[in-house]
Amino acid sequence: MIGNLKPLEIVLIIVVILLLFGAKKLPEMARSLGKSARILKSEAKAMKKDDAEPAPAPTDTTAQQQPAPRTIQAAPGDVSSARPVAEQNTTKS
């Protein structure tokens, strides 16, 4: 469907988008889309890394201290959107 668009139709779509959102909002929307893509990418990397790590053998948990929770940051140096990652203990039988 997108391949069937003529150049005039594409220009018309761009003009309608500019009229709806305004020229000032478009860069903000592009930035937020880029930030969302970075968050998605970092979450996917963290999930792959968690899958690649072998599960530790269960031991006596009363003598161990709880480690500090891990956090995922949206971008390097972005601490405002950092959130803790919930650790899931799953066992396969």
Side-chain angles (χ1 to χ4, degrees):
M1 172 152 169
I2 294 176
N4 296 337
L5 292 178
K6 298 176 186 165
L8 182 61
E9 294 170 340
I10 294 173
V11 169
L12 182 65
I13 291 171
I14 291 172
V15 168
V16 169
I17 290 173
L18 280 172
L19 289 174
L20 286 175
F21 296 109
K24 291 183 180 181
K25 280 286 189 180
L26 290 178
E28 274 182 41
M29 291 171 48
R31 273 188 228 105
S32 66
L33 182 64
K35 187 175 180 179
S36 299
R38 284 192 302 272
I39 291 171
L40 180 66
K41 185 177 178 180
S42 67
E43 293 274 344
K45 278 185 179 180
M47 289 176 66
K48 285 182 182 178
K49 184 180 174 185
D50 287 346
D51 288 342
E53 293 175 358
T59 58
D60 184 20
T61 58
T62 57
Q64 294 180 348
Q65 293 181 350
Q66 291 286 9
R70 297 183 317 143
T71 59
I72 294 179
Q73 294 180 346
D78 184 9
V79 294
S80 62
S81 62
R83 63 178 181 81
V85 178
E87 296 290 331
Q88 297 179 356
N89 294 331
T90 58
T91 57
K92 295 181 180 179
S93 355

